[in-house]
Amino acid sequence: MFGDLKNPAGVKALDAYLAENSYIEGYVPSQADTAVFEALKGAPGSDSPHALRWYNHIKSFGAGMKQFAKATKAAGDYTSGAAASAAADDDDDDVDLFGSDDEEDDEEKKRITEERLAAYALKKSAKPGPIAKTSVLLDVKPWDDETDMGAMCKLVKAIEMEGLTWGADKLVPIGYGIKKLQVMCTVVDSLVSIDELSEKIEGFEDFVQSVDVAAMNKI
């Protein structure tokens, strides 16, 4: 998509793409951003302002990049300098349908093949369907610049719900010395209501003025 991001041409292609897109995929950071970030040899120059803005934003998450949502494409689809993912979605390759031809007559080979085909079919039929999940980026705003943002963050991420997993967080200036808490989480759609989660956060009324969904991305 961008080519070799260690060359100026690749960086220019990335800059042109980010002129109209906030992230490599969707509306929240994902592993696609991590792959492209790691493929760069460093921060883009000032002649690529959109790529530089994106680079600094992704870099600000630090180790939190590992908690970004899974990308929909392999890393190699975005840059020739990134290695495509070799992970399979299951262990189907562990099933050898035919076995060895050595020292087996035709009837024995046929029996073994039929048994393994039956086992493979049973395994596939028992495999559960995919679990629908959503990656959510929340903006949690305090009352004023005297709010203890560290305490607020601890309270928010102390919320436990079945199907809720907290991710990276950071403070973002919004003016007059006030900062908002921006925090990522992943929810199982069938178990967690975003409205209910927002109400729980707003329940910390000594700290929280409001909660907004900044971005959502289906996983």
Side-chain angles (χ1 to χ4, degrees):
M1 183 173 179
F2 305 121
D4 189 350
L5 288 172
K6 292 184 173 21
N7 291 329
V11 177
K12 283 297 182 184
L14 175 64
D15 185 67
Y17 177 80
L18 291 171
E20 299 180 356
N21 297 274
S22 298
Y23 300 102
I24 304 302
E25 287 184 3
Y27 301 99
V28 296
S30 70
Q31 291 302 320
D33 294 276
T34 302
V36 174
F37 179 89
E38 292 177 347
L40 290 163
K41 64 180 180 180
S46 58
D47 58 338
S48 300
H50 306 296
L52 179 60
R53 180 263 311 158
W54 167 86
Y55 181 93
N56 289 331
H57 176 60
I58 297 302
K59 183 179 179 181
S60 70
F61 284 97
M65 284 192 287
K66 296 180 180 179
Q67 300 179 23
F68 286 169
K70 183 179 178 181
T72 60
K73 297 180 180 179
D77 290 338
Y78 295 105
T79 167
S80 59
S85 172
D89 61 343
D90 55 36
D91 56 354
D92 292 345
D93 290 342
D94 292 339
V95 180
D96 180 4
L97 300 182
F98 301 107
S100 172
D101 290 335
D102 295 340
E103 300 179 1
E104 293 181 344
D105 59 27
D106 291 342
E107 288 300 321
E108 182 68 9
K109 287 191 293 182
K110 181 179 179 180
R111 182 186 66 79
I112 292 174
T113 297
E114 289 176 349
E115 288 179 353
R116 291 176 177 174
L117 282 169
Y120 178 79
L122 179 62
K123 178 180 177 181
K124 294 293 288 185
S125 66
K127 185 178 295 184
I131 299 175
K133 295 182 180 180
T134 301
S135 177
V136 184
L137 185 64
L138 296 172
D139 280 346
V140 185
K141 297 178 182 177
W143 290 104
D144 50 42
D145 60 346
E146 295 183 357
T147 300
D148 187 336
M149 299 302 291
M152 175 199 281
C153 183
K154 288 181 180 179
L155 287 171
V156 170
K157 299 184 78 169
I159 294 175
E160 295 183 355
M161 299 173 67
E162 184 180 1
L164 168 66
T165 303
W166 291 107
D169 62 82
K170 67 175 183 176
L171 299 179
V172 180
I174 57 177
Y176 304 101
I178 301 175
K179 296 180 179 180
K180 66 181 177 181
L181 171 66
Q182 198 167 72
V183 58
M184 293 182 64
C185 65
T186 301
V187 300
V188 176
D189 296 348
S190 62
L191 298 177
V192 180
S193 163
I194 300 302
D195 290 339
E196 182 182 354
L197 176 59
S198 297
E199 289 176 2
K200 286 181 178 290
I201 296 174
E202 289 175 343
F204 303 122
E205 54 188 22
D206 290 339
F207 295 86
V208 179
Q209 179 192 102
S210 65
V211 178
D212 297 306
V213 177
M216 297 177 67
N217 189 34
K218 293 292 182 183
I219 300 176

